[in-house]
Amino acid sequence: MIDDREKPTRVMIAGTGSYVPERVLTNAELEQMVDTSDDWIRARTGMRERRIARPDEASSDMGAAAGRAALAAAGLAVDEVDLIIVATSTPDMLFPSTACLVQSALGATNALCYDLSAACSGFLYALETARAMLQSGLYQNALVIGSDKMSAVTDWSDRGTCILFGDGAGAVVLKPTVTHRGIMSTVSGADGSLGDLLMIPAGGSRMPATAETVADHQHTVKMAGNNVFKHAVRCMTEAGRAALRKAGLTAADVKWVIPHQANMRIIQAISERVDIPMDRIVVNLDRYGNTTAATVPVALDEAVRDGRIQRGDVLLFVVFGGGFTWGAMVLEY
Ligand code: ACO
């Protein structure tokens, strides 16, 4: 096995960006839509409000806005971008890929473009894929984006899911480095046998769109919430611990944890289990809900821009999502 620390090229985050839509959907508004309450949502999830994209705003629009901000932060010109990977479960359409649409919006004409599907784990999977592409030496930089318009695939009559999700996008530019430790370790996994616990059944080749599938809400998120919750805590905890071991670090070395923002109780459970207190965990689900592939890069960008995260800080990302998929990454920002 090759040790990550012995690979010739290290890869670092050179710049971050994010975008969330203006429209705020509050718990009070959800009370008018389904049988729920602000108290229940806050107590069971920690969420207060989330952002909802305009009808004419798709994942590529949000992704391009986040990508533009990340390129500016990294000081990388659009025509220099080598690779664009968009992690999304809500592509604008089945094809062309959302990454190609982002490329067109940005004018990044020299970039190879493709999408990556790993639900809420997509951004971490995309980071790891881009790191490998840069370490191969074939690409000099990558724009990695997580963008999801979950409002487009939410069943607004299902109180078990509609309270959870929001829309948004986050992005990072990856570059090779000799001065930073950059990405130090990644641990990721998948268990396809549990895919039916969290899915959007219709709209693909298994169940193409028909009047019946639309009437039956089969194009929206179906989730066995309680079951997903337990797997999420276990997988994120184990991945986080394993990524730290692989990097040769301990919890005490981590300045900030950026977890997938699915539920405050999941984050608290992970905090206890990896032994990193809540005041070193970046949380924004109270304002944005679960934005799927965008949660980690949006939280990262906010914490970089408000000065919480500084160059040299050791970060731990932990994610979990449909598939099931999960992962953790240790890096020096
Ligand atoms: N308002 C009021 N009551 C509700 C609501 C609501 N919005 N939703 C569910 N309830 C009720 C249920 O009907 C149930 O009532 P009952 O006891 O009479 O049957 C009761 O509350 C408890 O339901 P649970 O599902 O057991 O509630 P739980 O505490 O598990 O919370 C939640 C539900 C918030 C969905 C939680 O399970 C969760 O966060 N799950 C994980 C989500 C996640 O991590 N997703 C992964 C990523 S998403 C992706 O990859 C796209």
Side-chain angles (χ1 to χ4, degrees):
M1 202 174 100
I2 298 172
D3 188 318
D4 284 337
R5 287 163 295 178
E6 290 168 2
K7 283 186 181 160
T9 307
R10 309 208 64 84
V11 173
M12 67 178 285
I13 292 178
T16 66
S18 63
Y19 170 85
V20 290
E22 269 175 42
R23 161 89 167 98
V24 175
L25 178 68
T26 63
N27 290 351
E29 289 173 272
L30 286 166
E31 284 178 350
Q32 307 303 312
M33 295 159 66
V34 288
D35 180 16
T36 190
S37 68
D38 178 43
D39 283 348
W40 193 96
I41 299 172
R42 283 180 194 235
R44 304 307 293 170
T45 72
M47 293 166 188
R48 285 190 288 119
E49 58 190 41
R50 63 290 292 147
R51 301 297 179 96
I52 303 295
R54 297 188 311 269
D56 66 345
E57 199 171 34
S59 292
S60 72
D61 301 312
M62 297 191 292
R68 210 172 275 121
L71 291 174
L76 186 69
V78 281
D79 59 357
E80 290 171 350
V81 179
D82 270 355
L83 173 65
I84 299 174
I85 307 178
V86 176
T88 186
S89 303
T90 51
D92 290 28
M93 54 198 80
L94 288 179
F95 65 84
S97 70
T98 305
C100 281
L101 300 170
V102 167
Q103 183 218 38
S104 170
L106 293 178
T109 45
N110 297 314
L112 172 76
C113 307
Y114 57 88
D115 288 359
L116 190 149
S117 168
C120 297
S121 307
F123 180 72
L124 197 140
Y125 269 49
L127 272 186
E128 180 63 350
T129 306
R131 169 167 84 134
M133 297 286 264
L134 266 57
Q135 284 181 331
S136 75
L138 294 174
Y139 299 86
Q140 287 308 304
N141 61 65
L143 177 60
V144 180
I145 298 171
S147 183
D148 270 303
K149 183 179 176 179
M150 294 305 288
S151 64
V153 293
T154 295
D155 180 348
W156 293 104
S157 65
D158 174 15
R159 68 176 184 173
T161 54
C162 76
I163 56 154
L164 297 173
F165 296 106
D167 302 334
V172 301
V173 171
L174 289 187
K175 281 184 181 171
T177 178
V178 287
T179 55
H180 279 64
R181 285 179 288 175
I183 296 172
M184 288 184 261
S185 71
T186 309
V187 169
S188 45
D191 185 349
S193 71
L194 299 172
D196 58 357
L197 295 174
L198 176 53
M199 69 193 304
I200 298 177
S205 58
R206 174 76 57 196
M207 198 188 291
T210 64
E212 287 74 29
T213 61
V214 173
D216 201 25
H217 297 210
Q218 293 296 322
H219 300 267
T220 57
V221 176
K222 311 292 172 207
M223 181 171 73
N226 214 282
N227 214 335
V228 173
F229 190 105
K230 290 172 197 155
H231 285 282
V233 170
R234 183 177 55 77
C235 292
M236 288 162 87
T237 301
E238 286 173 6
R241 287 178 181 155
L244 281 171
R245 272 197 308 276
K246 199 171 168 185
L249 300 178
T250 68
D253 298 308
V254 176
K255 187 77 187 290
W256 291 104
V257 181
I258 305 187
H260 175 49
Q261 312 277 316
N263 188 311
M264 192 61 149
R265 292 182 294 132
I266 293 177
I267 294 176
Q268 285 162 343
I270 292 164
S271 162
E272 283 168 22
R273 286 164 174 76
V274 298
D275 199 21
I276 298 180
M278 286 300 291
D279 62 8
R280 278 162 45 209
I281 301 191
V282 181
V283 175
N284 65 9
L285 58 72
D286 52 324
R287 289 176 291 126
Y288 302 138
N290 178 352
T291 55
T292 304
T295 59
V296 169
V298 170
L300 170 68
D301 182 52
E302 284 195 342
V304 165
R305 285 176 194 268
D306 68 22
R308 271 175 292 171
I309 292 179
Q310 301 282 330
R311 284 285 172 208
D313 287 352
V314 172
L315 310 180
L316 170 64
F317 299 162
V318 283
V319 297
F320 182 86
F324 287 158
T325 54
W326 59 86
M329 178 177 278
V330 176
L331 65 149
E332 177 188 319
Y333 174 68

